[in-house]
Amino acid sequence: MMYNLLTVGAMADVGEFLAELFRVAPGDVDVSVDTEYEDRNWDASVSCEYAETHGDLHRSLSVYVAESVSEEPSEETVALEMARWLGAPVLFPGAETVPTVWRVATAGGQVTHARVIEPEDESGSTRVTEVEVPVPEFPESVVTGFPDIIKEVQLPTPVVDAWATAQTVEGERRTLRGLLVNWERLTVRMDEGWPPSHWYPSDLYVDDLRLRDQVESRVGQLSEKDRSAVERVLTELDALYRERTVDDGGTALARACEISQNELSGRPWYWRRRPAPLPWESAPAARIAS
């Protein structure tokens, strides 16, 4: 198994830390700079290869663990434990497929996100330009949300899947399935507390409502058999949305998105409903201000 990490500060007996974490003898751990080849312990069960970096992050680590080692902690667990050991943040790759976004484990046990901009060449500096919450080691970073990782989170859609899976539909039915998946995922996001960062920007919420608008026109293009099945799915999804939202006449959405309530009054019913509490009011900057 391999772990990729970025760290701040001194190494502080990383070999001892790895021995304790993976429950191997200290002599069964090798820690070497990436340019060292002659004096390594090539037979070590746990090997840590590191390289010095410039900028906000001081080194990158690649930890290799042999199959003979019984302990297999997750990358998040390794990062959290190392952050506590070093007393400094440790970054590790996020589950989302956005290359610039890493997860940050802090010495206090918090896990958040950061945007890391790597240099174009070896002489450049690695910069942490944005963080979800303030991290003292990155004082120049902008505190902000990361909307680009939200849609990367894979959420279950049992209602839509019971009608059709991505492998069983094509053409117009496939397009319509995608719209229904997005609609169901909105209710799942509410149930799961708006993953991955417990907030949801208002512009993404508006996008979801606009995609819901498209369902009506596309349903009419289906055969009578398919239309009847989709209408049953849509009825169930609409009921889930009603249960998780309140009708405020469009007040909250109008305030957040600069859409007049008068305009919202002429739109479908779901435009005048909103989650409680409002997920866009829990953005990182809003949490700090409160």
Side-chain angles (χ1 to χ4, degrees), residues 75-123:
E75 206 157 30
E76 179 175 325
T77 298
V78 172
L80 280 167
E81 293 301 323
M82 183 176 286
R84 293 189 184 100
W85 181 276
L86 299 176
V90 174
L91 281 67
F92 61 102
E96 305 81 14
T97 55
V98 180
T100 60
V101 178
W102 288 62
R103 301 188 76 188
V104 184
T106 69
Q110 186 176 29
V111 176
T112 182
H113 291 89
R115 194 175 304 280
V116 178
I117 305 300
E118 297 185 2
E120 296 182 0
D121 54 60
E122 293 183 0
S123 63

Side-chain angles (χ1 to χ4, degrees), residues 162-174:
W163 165 61
T165 64
Q167 292 74 33
T168 60
V169 290
E170 57 185 17
E172 185 60 33
R173 293 174 76 240
R174 187 179 185 87

Side-chain angles (χ1 to χ4, degrees), residues 25-38:
D28 206 15
V29 176
D30 178 78
V31 179
S32 299
V33 65
D34 61 346
T35 56
E36 172 60 57
Y37 296 101
E38 294 184 2

Side-chain angles (χ1 to χ4, degrees), residues 7-26:
T7 66
V8 178
M11 291 288 280
D13 299 323
V14 167
E16 180 183 346
F17 160 75
L18 293 173
E20 289 188 11
L21 180 66
F22 291 101
R23 298 185 181 181
V24 298

Side-chain angles (χ1 to χ4, degrees), residues 147 150 199-206 279-280:
I150 292 176
W199 77 287
Y200 202 68
S202 58
D203 56 341
L204 287 187
Y205 193 85
V206 168
W280 47 86

